[in-house]
Amino acid sequence: MKNILITGGLGFIGSYCIEKWKSIGWNITVIDNLSSNAIGEASDIASSTSVVVADIVDTDWKDLGNFDMILHLASPVGPVGVLKHSGKMARIILEDIYWAIEGAKFNNCPLIFVSTSEIYGHRDSKTYLKEEDDKVLHGDFTVRNEYAVAKLLSELVLSNTGKVDSSFKYQIIRPFNVTGARQLPDGGFVLPRFVYQALHGQDITVYYSGEQIRAFTWVRDIVDGIHLISECNIWNEQWNIGNESNESTILYLAEQVKKLTGSASTIAHIDPIDLHGPLFAEAPEKIPNSNKVKQLGWIPTKSTDEVIQEVVEYYS
């Protein structure tokens, strides 16, 4: 039986990765510092899983056992969740990736790094982003830029490690606008935030005009893509995972949430700076071109409306 280590495994995406790798019979070890966990260590999802509650960089690889794969998810997350790490985030993300690389070498196993679509940076107009497209830093040095550049630098570190060490295998995965049940509103994730507000009779707070475009992708579709890439044996590549057919505006999302919950909440257009302070920055529009992962047979399954319905049912 094979062994996998999932860093940040009690987080939103991590909880579904536990379920996925359980379903194929792997032994699972999770390491998580509980800073942004979606499930608890005593959750049924984490049953039959070895859970280590610790910061990963404080953990010695010799104390963790041996692994056939490392899935590195641990990271600050969320447009609001990252703000408290301003000025420290680059160090957190980079120390974590060096630790994960050390572990892959210690275990002589592949490293699957879940990066972010934020690495593509700014676009003046809607663009269907391909893996090889330019990464564009634009405007002020925001906290969001610190997050994006730290993730991009982690990708560069992985790539260059692979160039000088032919035995080192990795995959870089860039998920786009992942959402679904268990995602927490705390980090600023828009769909659970809208649903929570609607169910509690609060204003559904849409930032600015709400015409910002996103392509929301169901979390299980994302995790199926991660798993497919981990098994594809085409190593040392970058992969977008996102459902471009789910392209919609934030305002549409708010309207659907209001409709599906039957809420009397008002959709209120606000300036997020008033809510979150001057460090907040709205994300540029990012729509994936997912043709590369589709060549492996990846097919997204849930529409935007179906994902909204799932989150509404979960929080109801």
Side-chain angles (χ1 to χ4, degrees):
M1 189 177 286
K2 291 187 175 182
N3 304 310
I4 185 171
L5 176 72
I6 306 176
T7 73
L10 301 182
F12 169 53
I13 297 176
S15 69
Y16 289 94
C17 289
I18 290 174
E19 291 178 327
K20 183 66 181 182
W21 266 267
K22 263 190 185 181
S23 74
I24 58 172
W26 284 50
N27 288 322
I28 299 166
T29 299
V30 164
I31 183 166
D32 199 298
N33 66 2
L34 306 183
S35 62
S36 55
N37 53 304
I39 62 170
E41 54 190 300
S43 163
D44 288 344
I45 294 168
S47 65
S48 306
T49 297
S50 175
V51 177
V52 179
V53 177
D55 284 324
I56 62 176
V57 292
D58 295 333
T59 308
D60 194 307
W61 279 104
K62 296 190 292 292
D63 298 330
L64 286 173
N66 297 108
F67 301 102
D68 300 286
M69 182 174 291
I70 297 165
L71 174 54
H72 180 39
L73 292 160
S75 177
V77 291
V80 176
V82 298
L83 299 181
K84 63 187 176 185
H85 301 294
S86 177
K88 301 174 288 186
M89 189 154 36
R91 183 180 67 195
I92 293 168
I93 290 171
L94 286 168
E95 284 181 346
D96 285 359
I97 198 66
Y98 282 113
W99 181 88
I101 290 169
E102 177 191 337
K105 291 184 174 186
F106 178 82
N107 287 281
N108 191 28
C109 74
L111 172 59
I112 314 299
F113 173 52
V114 178
S115 182
T116 173
S117 58
E118 295 277 344
I119 61 101
Y120 290 103
H122 178 82
R123 294 298 187 275
D124 288 322
S125 58
K126 184 176 73 176
T127 307
Y128 293 88
L129 295 159
K130 301 186 292 294
E131 284 83 357
E132 65 272 17
D133 282 351
D134 289 343
K135 287 67 181 173
V136 182
L137 184 66
H138 178 83
D140 297 331
F141 291 152
T142 63
V143 182
R144 199 159 201 147
N145 282 341
E146 183 183 354
Y147 171 76
V149 171
K151 288 283 193 176
L152 181 58
L153 188 50
S154 297
E155 293 189 13
L156 283 165
V157 168
L158 282 173
S159 175
N160 289 331
T161 301
K163 288 172 184 172
V164 297
D165 182 352
S166 60
S167 66
F168 178 64
K169 293 180 179 178
Y170 68 87
Q171 300 284 21
I172 292 168
I173 295 168
R174 300 166 182 158
F176 282 71
N177 298 121
V178 56
T179 193
R182 296 183 210 144
Q183 190 175 43
L184 302 175
D186 310 27
F189 296 106
V190 64
L191 181 53
R193 178 169 62 84
F194 283 176
V195 170
Y196 181 90
Q197 289 170 333
L199 291 173
H200 289 80
Q202 302 171 1
D203 285 352
I204 300 172
T205 49
V206 172
Y207 298 163
Y208 306 118
S209 69
E211 295 304 316
Q212 307 95 311
I213 296 172
R214 301 287 185 267
F216 290 96
T217 311
W218 188 37
V219 60
R220 289 192 190 275
D221 286 340
I222 293 280
V223 170
D224 284 347
I226 295 171
H227 175 250
L228 194 62
I229 290 163
S230 76
E231 290 200 323
C232 76
N233 211 28
I234 308 169
W235 293 105
N236 301 13
E237 294 282 336
Q238 301 83 41
W239 307 84
N240 289 340
I241 310 180
N243 189 352
E244 51 265 57
S245 63
N246 276 358
E247 186 181 321
S248 61
T249 67
I250 296 296
L251 184 57
Y252 174 83
L253 203 70
E255 290 167 343
Q256 284 297 102
V257 166
K258 180 175 167 67
K259 175 183 171 183
L260 290 171
T261 56
S263 174
S265 293
T266 298
I267 295 175
H269 295 265
I270 65 164
D271 184 338
I273 301 296
D274 294 337
L275 273 186
H276 306 301
L279 292 179
F280 182 86
E282 180 71 329
E285 294 180 351
K286 301 183 302 298
I287 310 297
N289 177 325
S290 59
N291 288 341
K292 184 175 179 178
V293 71
K294 285 175 179 173
Q295 290 172 11
L296 299 180
W298 181 74
I299 302 172
T301 60
K302 271 197 190 294
S303 68
T304 299
D305 287 355
E306 289 172 320
V307 178
I308 296 170
Q309 182 67 50
E310 178 185 271
V311 177
V312 166
E313 290 173 359
Y314 177 77
Y315 275 104
S316 294

